[in-house]
Amino acid sequence: MKKQENRKWFLKGMRHGVPIGLGYFAVAFTLGITAKNIGMTPIQSALMSFTMHASAGEFAVLTVIAAGSGYLEMAVTELVINLRYLLMSCALSQKVPENLWYPHRFFLSYFITDEIFGISSTVPGRLNPWYTYGAACVASPGWVLGTFLGAVVGNILPANVASAMNVALYGMFLAIIIPPAKKSRVIAVIVPVSMLASGLLTLLSDVIKLSAGMRILILTVLIAGIAAYVHPIEERGENANEE
């Protein structure tokens, strides 16, 4: 019975991971082009994406490499930009069953991205890790393959066509945000508030000297904290997961 339930959640995760994987492929294609332009091989580019599922983090590290900066600056840059994944991991640790096997927790943390966190956090009740695995087994190959192919053949495409592929990222976010926003008025309010706050901080970036990663971190803690205080979610039972 447990295996059947895990299989059901895995297949559901795969279905929900398809639009994420397609969006990842398009965005990673431009990442591969950038990696190739600074001298990385397709294998190196794909390995980078396999070990770090983070678009902002990878684009940032390519900028650091291109500038000829040292390892310390590279490490600090990645730490600041990717700090938000620590918050996401903490949030999901409260959603999974309390007795979840630690290897499951480890692999869940490896596959956390903005998009996979988004769909995993909206699962009703407790999170079955096989749902996240199902989404990741579709999304992660799309990210790695897109990076590899971008480094192999990316420069063949016209620059405006390659740049236009980034539009897929916005479509992917809409596919993640709209369904839960239709079901929850709280999410429907939080999403535009987050966008407005992020846009405001970006406009004030010359005045408020904060990196993109730090802005995301501050907004995540602030908005999520306010939302949790104003509209707390009651704890549900272990078997609250429903199709």
Side-chain angles (χ1 to χ4, degrees), residues 96-212:
V96 298
E98 293 182 0
N99 61 345
L100 185 67
W101 195 35
Y102 270 92
H104 278 307
R105 296 176 183 269
F106 175 80
F107 285 112
L108 282 174
S109 66
Y110 170 72
F111 286 118
I112 287 179
T113 64
D114 298 336
E115 297 76 25
I116 291 180
F117 169 78
I119 61 174
S120 297
S121 62
T122 57
V123 170
R126 293 292 186 178
L127 172 65
N128 187 315
W130 289 97
Y131 172 80
T132 304
Y133 297 155
C137 82
V138 177
S140 181
W143 182 250
V144 177
L145 182 61
T147 307
F148 179 81
L149 292 180
V152 172
V153 300
N155 287 340
I156 297 176
L157 296 176
N160 56 344
V161 174
S163 178
M165 295 184 72
N166 281 325
V167 174
L169 181 64
Y170 299 99
M172 176 177 58
F173 273 118
L174 289 175
I176 294 171
I177 290 172
I178 291 177
K182 288 181 177 179
K183 299 178 182 179
S184 171
R185 287 182 296 178
V186 176
I187 297 177
V189 171
I190 290 175
V191 169
V193 168
S194 301
M195 295 171 115
L196 289 172
S198 178
L200 180 61
L201 278 186
T202 301
L203 291 174
L204 296 175
S205 59
D206 291 336
V207 179
I208 306 175
K209 303 295 183 181
L210 294 173
S211 66

